[in-house]
Amino acid sequence: MDLASIDHLLTTTRSVRKRLDLTRPVDLKVVQECIDLAIQAPDGGNRGSYHFLVVTDTAKRAAIAAYYRKSFAAYLEARKEDYATRIYDSAAHLADHFAEVPMQIITCTEGRVETGGAMMQAARYGSVLPATWSLMLALRSRGIGAAWTTLHLAYEKEIAELLGIPDNMTQGALLPVAYYTGEDFKPGKRIPGAERTYFDSWAATR
Ligand SMILES: Cc1cc2nc3c(=O)[nH]c(=O)nc-3n(C[C@H](O)[C@H](O)[C@H](O)COP(=O)(O)O)c2cc1C
C-alpha cells in the first residue's frame, strides 16, 4: 500500500466549511462511486442497513438549511462561552451558507435508535456511521469536501417528512458536500492518542 497517500488522506480529511465551492455543482457519478466505496465499511450483520439520501433540489436544500440554522442558533446560545472561536467562525459560516452548498447527503440507518438498549443503539449507528466517514474520505480523495453535521437532528422528524424518510429510519449525519477550494488540508489538532490509550486497566497508560 502507498502509506504516504493513505496516511495523508486519513490525517487531512477535515470538516470543510469555509472552503466549500458554492458555485460548482457536484458530479453525481463521482458521488455514487464514493458511496459504492463507502459501503465497504463494517455494517452490523452485513444487512445493508445503510441509506444515503442525496439532496440537490434547491427548495429542499433551503428548507433543511433553515432547520439547521435554527438549531445552530439555539446550540450557540446555550454554549457561547465555551465554544472555541476558530470553530465558531467556521461553524457560523457554514450555518449562514448552508442553503448554497450544492449538495447535502443525509445518511440513515434502519431502525429507531431509541428502541433498544446500548447494544442495539451501537448496532444501528454502527451500521451507518463507519460508512459515513468512509464516504467523507472517498469524497476528499476526489477533491470534494464535506462536513460532518448533526445539528439538523433537532428537527429530524420535520426533515424526514420533507424528504419522505420512513418512520423506522434513524438519521446519522447530514453532510453538506461541495468541491473544495485550495489545494490541501493540514492534520487537525487532537489530544494525543497515547493519552487516550489504556492497557489492561482504565487510564493505565504506558
Ligand atoms: C458526531 C459529530 C457531530 C458533529 N456535528 C457538527 C455540526 O452539527 N456542525 C458542524 O459544523 N460541525 C459538526 N461536527 C464537526 C466537528 O466540529 C469537527 O469534526 C471537529 O471540530 C474536528 O474538526 P475536523 O473535522 O476539521 O478535524 C460534528 C462532528 C461529529 C463527529
Side-chain angles (χ1 to χ4, degrees), residues 55-72 95 97-101 104 106 151-164 171 174:
V55 185
T56 56
D57 177 82
T58 308
K60 287 182 176 170
R61 280 189 291 122
I64 294 166
Y67 286 126
Y68 184 90
R69 212 173 137 76
K70 218 160 119 181
S71 178
F72 178 73
H97 295 278
F98 215 101
E100 299 157 61
V101 184
Q104 299 169 358
I106 294 183
L151 284 170
H152 73 293
L153 291 173
Y155 299 96
E156 185 185 15
K157 203 167 164 12
E158 289 82 349
I159 291 171
E161 272 165 27
L162 175 79
L163 302 173
Q171 297 172 40
L174 162 62

Side-chain angles (χ1 to χ4, degrees), residues 13-15 17 68 87 91 94 148-151 188 190:
T13 302
R14 298 267 76 76
S15 297
R17 303 184 186 92
Y68 184 90
I87 298 184
L94 177 64
W148 190 297
T149 79
T150 48
L151 284 170
R190 299 290 193 252

Side-chain angles (χ1 to χ4, degrees), residues 192-206:
E195 285 180 31
R196 292 285 197 242
T197 309
Y198 316 130
F199 297 89
D200 298 325
S201 293
W202 184 257
T205 54
R206 278 188 187 163

Side-chain angles (χ1 to χ4, degrees), residues 133-156:
W133 175 238
S134 289
L135 176 57
M136 281 184 65
L137 293 169
L139 291 167
R140 153 90 169 113
S141 72
R142 284 149 175 80
I144 301 171
W148 190 297
T149 79
T150 48
L151 284 170
H152 73 293
L153 291 173
Y155 299 96
E156 185 185 15

